[in-house]
Amino acid sequence: MSRKMKSYSTEFKTKIVLEVLAGDKTLNEIASAYNIIPKNIMNWKKIFLENAQMAMEPSKAIKEYKDENLKLQDELDEYAKALGKITIERDWAVGKLKSLDLSNKKALVESKLKTISISRQCELISLNRTNLYYTPIANPVKDAIKDEIVNIFEEIPCYGYLKVHQELQERGHSVCVNTVRTYRQELGLRAVLAVRAPNTSWANIQHPKYSYKLKGVDITRANQVWSTDITYIKIKGGMVYMAAIIDWYSKAILSWKISNTMDTDLVMGVLNDALLLYGKPEIFNTDQGSQYTSYIHTQALKDNGITISMDGKGRATDNICIERFWRSAKVEKIYLNEYERVSTLKSDVKDYIEFYNYRRFHETLEYKKPMNVYCDSLKINNESFTESSENVA
């Protein structure tokens, strides 16, 4: 059975030391009288004498204590700053490590490291330790789908997981949307897009304006409403301009042109091509740019019995279909490249519009393709058109 150590108060220790210093009794006599070990009395005496000057000069002792305390506080402040910086840097690094995929996390773990255990390493990078010892069973179906996802990414890098899912189904793979998203995350694939600010059109106050005719209109068929717009594209030698016409119902691009000047020749070129190849719409919507309010453009529409509609001033959303097409074309193709020649740009745009019309899934069409929707609508309404891809100047 262990013996509990006895505790003595400061007053008691001081009394015993003073009695020792008085010298009237021997050390053993004092120790026997108070049932104390002589060695303890000697230790108390030593401590008492070493600190005796504090009793004689208390102000000096207090000052030395305060100075030492201030020095320690300064050191603590420096340590706190250093620790705060290290903590911030550590949290940043740990956050980056946690965002890595499974294979990269597993590669970071060092089994022979003695300073940090494997469990702690896994905890720092949010890796379940069982993943280190699990050997995955080969799944040929999964591998085939992953390979196809990589192929789609290389062919169409602008696709997100929803469109990749549609493309996989079209290629004969049976897989759910969530699985496609998971596989893309495992492969580290993300849609490649770019974003820049849109252009605006210049109005001519001398030209007559027309009201917006599409508010509340139910778009139910192809060739019911067409709209057009001009956007700019920056290339190495300067600026070029692109105009296009879109069918609102199917979202199909009916004609387009690229020119180094933004004038009536550009807008009349796309209008004439669209009328020649696809018939005519009931309503034709534009913005209030001077090219569209010009006499030659408005008169051409009137001569064909087409109702003219124009966006409200400063309301780009009134022509939302073509605005969305510009965004898709730019972020999915044009802004991902640097063009030195107009001919190279035209070739790329031609390829993209063929892809957009005939191969690209469109969310607002329930993942159907624009030109398929356009043709199906014409068949239902007993209409026809002359299809041609040579509609670019």
Side-chain angles (χ1 to χ4, degrees):
M1 183 174 176
S2 60
R3 185 176 180 182
K4 187 176 181 181
M5 183 177 294
K6 190 173 181 180
S7 177
Y8 301 96
S9 67
T10 302
E11 292 81 2
F12 179 78
K13 292 178 183 178
T14 303
K15 175 185 174 182
I16 298 300
V17 170
L18 291 175
E19 195 169 331
V20 170
L21 292 175
D24 295 332
K25 296 180 181 180
T26 66
L27 182 63
N28 288 334
E29 287 178 328
I30 296 172
S32 177
Y34 293 100
N35 194 24
I36 304 172
I37 300 174
K39 184 177 179 181
N40 283 348
I41 297 176
M42 293 299 295
N43 289 335
W44 296 346
K45 178 184 176 182
K46 181 180 178 182
I47 293 171
F48 182 87
L49 294 176
E50 287 176 351
N51 294 279
Q53 65 178 13
M54 293 180 62
M56 304 303 297
E57 296 182 88
S59 60
K60 180 180 179 182
I62 292 172
K63 183 178 182 302
E64 289 177 353
Y65 170 76
K66 288 183 176 179
D67 291 343
E68 184 66 22
N69 188 48
L70 289 173
K71 182 179 178 182
L72 290 174
Q73 187 61 49
D74 290 340
E75 291 180 357
L76 286 174
D77 290 342
E78 291 299 320
Y79 291 146
K81 291 178 182 178
L83 180 60
K85 182 179 179 181
I86 291 171
T87 301
I88 292 171
E89 293 174 349
R90 173 195 171 279
D91 291 344
W92 175 84
V94 169
K96 292 294 183 182
L97 290 173
K98 288 181 178 180
S99 67
L100 296 175
D101 57 32
L102 180 61
S103 59
N104 285 323
K105 286 183 178 180
K106 290 171 67 174
L108 289 173
V109 177
E110 299 180 34
S111 58
K112 295 182 180 181
L113 187 64
K114 295 181 179 179
T115 52
I116 306 177
S117 68
I118 291 178
S119 296
R120 181 54 180 160
Q121 292 180 57
C122 292
E123 182 182 349
L124 287 172
I125 60 178
S126 295
L127 173 66
N128 191 321
R129 193 154 56 104
T130 58
N131 288 319
L132 292 176
Y133 313 110
Y134 171 72
T135 303
I137 301 172
N139 186 334
V141 175
K142 177 179 179 180
D143 293 340
I145 293 174
K146 279 191 169 184
D147 290 341
E148 197 63 47
I149 288 174
V150 172
N151 291 335
I152 293 171
F153 177 78
E154 292 174 350
E155 294 174 22
I156 318 172
C158 61
Y159 269 6
Y161 73 93
L162 292 173
K163 290 179 181 175
V164 170
H165 174 249
Q166 293 292 327
E167 187 70 28
L168 285 169
Q169 288 188 318
E170 189 168 274
R171 297 186 184 190
H173 294 280
S174 179
V175 59
C176 73
V177 171
N178 290 336
T179 299
V180 174
R181 178 168 55 183
T182 300
Y183 288 176
R184 279 171 59 85
Q185 289 173 348
E186 291 177 0
L187 292 166
L189 301 179
R190 296 182 65 184
V192 179
L193 302 170
V195 179
R196 296 186 186 179
N199 186 37
T200 56
S201 299
W202 295 95
N204 187 324
I205 59 175
Q206 297 178 347
H207 291 172
K209 307 299 187 298
Y210 294 80
S211 61
Y212 186 64
K213 304 293 195 311
L214 301 180
K215 187 174 182 180
V217 173
D218 188 15
I219 312 299
T220 59
R221 60 190 181 280
N223 287 354
Q224 181 181 358
V225 177
W226 292 357
S227 66
T228 187
D229 192 21
I230 302 173
T231 190
Y232 72 89
I233 301 172
K234 189 175 182 180
I235 65 173
K236 185 176 181 180
M239 199 80 69
V240 295
Y241 305 92
M242 178 177 172
I245 292 178
I246 192 170
D247 176 70
W248 270 45
Y249 176 74
S250 64
K251 311 303 185 291
I253 297 300
L254 305 181
S255 64
W256 62 277
K257 282 186 178 295
I258 291 176
S259 173
N260 54 14
T261 57
M262 187 172 60
D263 50 24
T264 54
D265 287 341
L266 174 61
V267 298
M268 289 305 300
V270 292
L271 176 60
N272 290 332
D273 284 345
L275 293 174
L276 177 64
L277 297 172
Y278 299 96
K280 62 183 182 180
E282 296 176 14
I283 303 173
F284 193 87
N285 189 75
T286 72
D287 60 26
Q288 296 185 16
S290 59
Q291 300 81 10
Y292 297 120
T293 58
S294 65
Y295 172 81
I296 188 173
H297 193 269
T298 55
Q299 191 60 43
L301 296 174
K302 291 177 182 178
D303 290 345
N304 282 278
I306 301 170
T307 300
I308 301 174
S309 170
M310 290 187 177
D311 303 345
K313 187 176 181 180
R315 286 185 55 83
T317 54
D318 286 346
N319 207 1
I320 191 64
C321 284
I322 194 70
E323 295 294 342
R324 285 176 175 171
F325 169 73
W326 289 145
R327 181 185 182 281
S328 297
K330 289 181 177 182
V331 302
E332 295 177 3
K333 186 68 173 180
I334 296 171
Y335 286 158
L336 299 177
N337 299 280
E338 295 289 339
Y339 295 101
E340 297 187 1
R341 300 175 63 85
V342 177
S343 58
T344 306
L345 172 63
K346 286 183 177 181
S347 178
D348 262 15
V349 170
K350 181 179 180 180
D351 290 342
Y352 178 78
I353 290 181
E354 189 278 334
F355 159 72
Y356 173 89
N357 275 340
Y358 295 96
R359 296 176 54 203
R360 183 183 184 273
F361 300 106
H362 206 294
E363 292 93 331
T364 60
L365 301 176
E366 297 180 350
Y367 290 95
K368 297 176 183 177
K369 299 165 186 178
M371 195 53 76
N372 290 348
V373 174
Y374 181 84
C375 294
D376 290 343
S377 178
L378 292 187
K379 290 176 183 178
I380 293 172
N381 293 283
N382 296 317
E383 298 181 40
S384 63
F385 70 95
T386 303
E387 186 175 3
S388 173
S389 60
E390 301 301 324
N391 58 343
V392 56

